Amino acid sequence: MDDFDFDLIDELCSSFCTPRTSQKTNETNTPSVNESLSLSIQKRTSTCNPLDSSKIKKVCLSDVSNRSIVDEYDEISTLDESTLQMLCEEWEPRSQFPTLLTRVADLLEKYRNIQSFHNWQKKCLDLPARRKNQNLIYTLPTSGGKTLVAEIMMLNCLLHRRLDAIFILPFVAVVQEKVRSLQPFADELDFHLEEYAASKGRYPPIKRRMKRSLYVCTIEKANSLINSLIENNRMVEIGIVVVDELHMIGEGQRGAILESLLTKIRLLKPQPQIVGMSATLANIDDLLNFLDAQFYEERFRPVELEEYVKVNDMVYKIDRNKANHNDELIEHRRLDFKYTKQNLLNDPDRVVGLVSEVIPKDSCLVFCPSKINCENVARLIISFMPEKLLEDNREKRSILLETLVEVNEGDLCDTLKAAIPYGVAYHHSGLTGDERQLIEEAFLDGILTCLTCTSTLSTGVNLPAKRVILRSPYVGSHFLTFAQYKQMSGRAGRTGQSQTGECFVIAHERDMKQLREMLFTMADNNTGCDSHLATNNSYAIKQLLLNAISLRICSTYESLLNLLQKTLLALQADRLNVHLQSLLDECLQYLIDANIMRVKEVEQISDDSHVEKVKRLLYETTKLGKATVEGSVDLGLATSVYNHLATSLINMNLENPLHLLYITIPFDLPNMTIGFRQLVDRMQEMKIEEKLVFKLMDIDDTFLQKKAVGLPAQQKVSKETMLRLYVAVILYDLFKNKSFYDVAKFWDQPRGSIQNLFSQVASFATSIFYFSKSFDEFWPYQQLLPIFIQRLTFCTSLEILPLMEIPGIKRSRALQLIRAGYRTLRSLAKAQPDDLMKAVLNLPLRTAQILVKHSKRLLCEQAEDLRDQAAALVENIE
């Protein structure tokens, strides 16, 4: 950004950003938060008297909201005395710490209903590794409170150490949920919260002057973020990197990416603290050596887990204390649910019998092997439910249905319409993001008592239930692994609502041998977190080498070999039958042959003589290699992406977004059946300028009509081109403000899958944007893609795009605001909630207040971003 209108920036902030000091008119002796944080990073020469232990829980509560100051000492019950004492010892000056800690405690109680730490959490926070900011791995059963410990460590890094933090989570949905969960803490404690998932995230991030940043990322986005920070010499800003679900390091290519980014971090000087956590970890010694970490393990579970296996109508209890493996399954009881012959034909596995034992009094999760099975089981369950269940939570379930219809712009699937009145719903990737969020919240609030779901829920947001039922010991067509079983069974038990949690696995006699092996033999197996760097033709190693060379971490053969010797793969090389040097030679040759890297000979002073010059070979990236790293593009697709972008420039059609959509469709799309009949219908509705995009691909009406009836066509169009154009036309419907339901119904595709496609396209468009920066000839993409990526992110038209950044706002609500004259964040931020409520149909006052509040916050953040960018622009200029 070359020019900044500083007057405009000040004007933007002055109306909406009230300085914190203005809220503390009565404070004379208590410094502001920013003052105390600034003081904490300065080295003190004076000493402060330790806090009187009798007054540790008695602090002068300074509230930053619009409440008055409490002058007397208040009793704080959220964190006990020993925890306060332990953490207070680190803060300087100590007199300032209790106010901050109290505010954190207040927020935990207000937003999480957490009133005290478990003993294991206090022990973990008191570990030498935590105190000295050393690497740490800790394990605890699901729902034991692992994440809270990590969040306290990150807050300590942000507020006390005054360094940024990176929080790595496995999935986009989990990142989005965690951002929502942490936003109140960011608002109150004055740090930036930045989401790095799908198309969201800036590379490199804005360099902040005052506030610190917490980056919440998926694995892939974290890798790109770390690359950008290393390239710009800014990794010194990072104090801690927290990895949730560390066991994923052993799961395919995503695990290989995680291993790669951790390897790069380990090479940095100084190295930020690495904290890894998981409910289940194998190969723990390998992981500890890899990360040079301390280990803390706790078997604590706030709710006791009881495990069962059901075969026919017999329930067996799993006893893990038995020395004799033959006796580990003990006959427990028979199901006494009364089935008629017809009912038993409909439910031969007696799923309803297990469900009906807990609902509606308690909650139940039923894990199913496939999405279609989720919906079938939901319909099966309600077919057995008595009519009297319709009276439970009738009003709240009615509101839930109305809200689901509203977010879907007037539509809702028949299964959810029928199931929700009984307190039942399904949950899988075929739902839209809004549907999933509403269903999750309703389940947590007890409005819904039974969810039928796929295994993805076990690693997603935390939805505990009294009983967990595994509909089958299969996930898709693959037999259940022990790690998957631990994740699913870990959802059993709701803290504070029941003493025990129950997990039932429904199995047939033919599955019992394999099930026993999974439950008992695999539980003792010390493999599982194995490196995947060398799998898939060593793709991840090639990517790691390219990253290291591009980022100037390594440039010689010796340094590259040293890099590989720092990986988890090196520790497991003998067992995995891998020879690192041969692997390095093979990968380097591949990168050179692909024109992604080159070798040059240079003269350098010998390390031995310090005088004599010797010739050395140095590795460096080509322009294509640099672009591949910048855009996080698949190595095997780099040349294809370049050719695709170059060809598309020749005849680019910008009369409508369709051609740009086609350009940004990923190359690695999931296999889909192309609906040629729908394409014919849609093409007949198109304008002439829209049909020009088809013409560029040598596709016309005749071609599509022949394909629709199964006749051979004269034109030869590749399957890849046809599929990418097909997806582009589907998404083009959404650009015209059609609802997901309408689009999904017309194209006969799951609505959630269409939303996922939009997310993939937005992510790939972001990759293209950064990829194109390395090539002068691709300057048009630099101009076109930023606003286009925003449209892809929010699946909407340009008209309502400015309002879609407001958290929780839906397209239908944004259209209402536009019609009422509120077209920008600024106009909404200046509005009075009462006026807004009158101007917009069916807008509750509470919603209007929230919209205005979020608009003000976003506007202030944008203004602060501009200020930080302006400061970075003139930095070091005298």
Side-chain angles (χ1 to χ4, degrees), residues 484-497:
Q484 290 170 332
Y485 172 76
K486 289 282 286 182
Q487 289 289 338
M488 294 183 203
S489 63
R491 298 301 185 203
R494 303 190 73 163
T495 305
Q497 297 186 23

Side-chain angles (χ1 to χ4, degrees), residues 90-296:
E90 295 185 2
W91 285 70
E92 187 180 357
R94 293 180 185 177
S95 59
Q96 302 308 317
F97 179 71
T99 300
L100 288 170
L101 186 61
T102 299
R103 292 177 59 202
V104 173
D106 286 343
L107 292 171
L108 288 173
E109 183 172 18
K110 179 178 179 180
Y111 294 105
R112 307 275 185 85
N113 196 28
I114 295 173
Q115 298 184 356
S116 63
F117 280 154
H118 296 299
N119 285 332
W120 84 265
Q121 291 170 322
K122 289 184 283 188
K123 290 178 184 176
C124 191
L125 287 169
D126 199 27
L127 290 172
R130 206 280 308 169
R131 286 177 170 275
K132 298 177 182 178
N133 303 316
Q134 296 170 339
N135 296 346
L136 173 67
I137 297 174
Y138 62 97
T139 65
L140 192 80
T142 300
S143 300
K146 299 184 302 295
T147 305
L148 176 60
V149 170
E151 289 174 347
I152 294 295
M153 291 184 189
M154 289 187 289
L155 288 175
N156 178 64
C157 180
L158 293 163
L159 304 178
H160 170 49
R161 297 171 61 197
R162 300 296 293 157
L163 292 170
D164 298 336
I166 297 176
F167 194 7
I168 303 175
L169 297 162
F171 304 112
V172 173
V174 186
V175 168
Q176 293 169 340
E177 189 274 337
K178 183 53 64 177
V179 168
R180 289 194 298 269
S181 171
L182 288 172
Q183 190 60 61
F185 293 80
D187 293 341
E188 294 282 353
L189 300 174
D190 210 25
F191 62 86
H192 279 279
L193 187 62
E194 303 191 33
E195 178 181 337
Y196 279 73
S199 62
K200 292 189 176 181
R202 187 196 303 253
Y203 306 104
I206 295 174
K207 191 171 185 178
R208 305 294 179 183
R209 298 173 301 151
M210 300 295 292
K211 298 181 181 180
R212 305 318 306 171
S213 294
L214 171 55
Y215 307 106
V216 187
C217 321
T218 58
I219 294 171
E220 293 79 8
K221 288 289 184 176
N223 187 51
S224 298
L225 172 63
I226 288 168
N227 282 348
S228 72
L229 291 171
I230 292 174
E231 184 176 24
N232 290 273
N233 298 316
R234 288 179 52 192
M235 274 301 289
V236 291
E237 298 170 13
I238 305 298
I240 188 172
V241 177
V242 175
V243 182
D244 194 11
E245 310 295 356
L246 183 61
H247 66 272
M248 290 195 70
I249 202 169
E251 296 185 10
Q253 288 307 298
R254 300 195 75 215
I257 295 172
L258 180 57
E259 182 181 346
S260 295
L261 75 86
L262 291 173
T263 301
K264 285 180 285 191
I265 292 173
R266 291 278 292 120
L267 288 174
L268 299 174
K269 300 295 180 184
Q271 181 218 295
Q273 182 185 19
I274 298 173
V275 175
M277 55 179 172
S278 179
T280 173
L281 279 177
N283 307 43
I284 188 61
D285 289 337
D286 289 344
L287 292 173
L288 292 175
N289 288 329
F290 169 50
L291 296 178
D292 188 24
Q294 291 189 25
F295 181 57
Y296 180 82

Side-chain angles (χ1 to χ4, degrees), residues 313-366:
D313 65 342
M314 177 58 71
V315 176
Y316 299 87
K317 186 171 185 178
I318 298 174
D319 188 348
R320 297 192 180 277
N321 296 320
K322 288 283 186 180
N324 184 351
H325 279 204
N326 293 326
D327 296 329
E328 286 173 332
L329 291 180
I330 305 168
E331 284 193 10
H332 182 63
R333 64 182 175 92
R334 289 189 182 276
L335 281 181
D336 58 2
F337 187 81
K338 304 303 180 184
Y339 281 93
T340 65
K341 288 184 178 180
Q342 183 59 47
N343 286 343
L344 203 53
L345 287 174
N346 295 333
D347 184 22
D349 291 329
R350 298 174 170 83
V351 177
V352 176
L354 288 174
V355 172
S356 63
E357 290 179 344
V358 289
I359 68 168
K361 183 180 178 182
D362 285 308
S363 56
C364 181
L365 292 174
V366 183

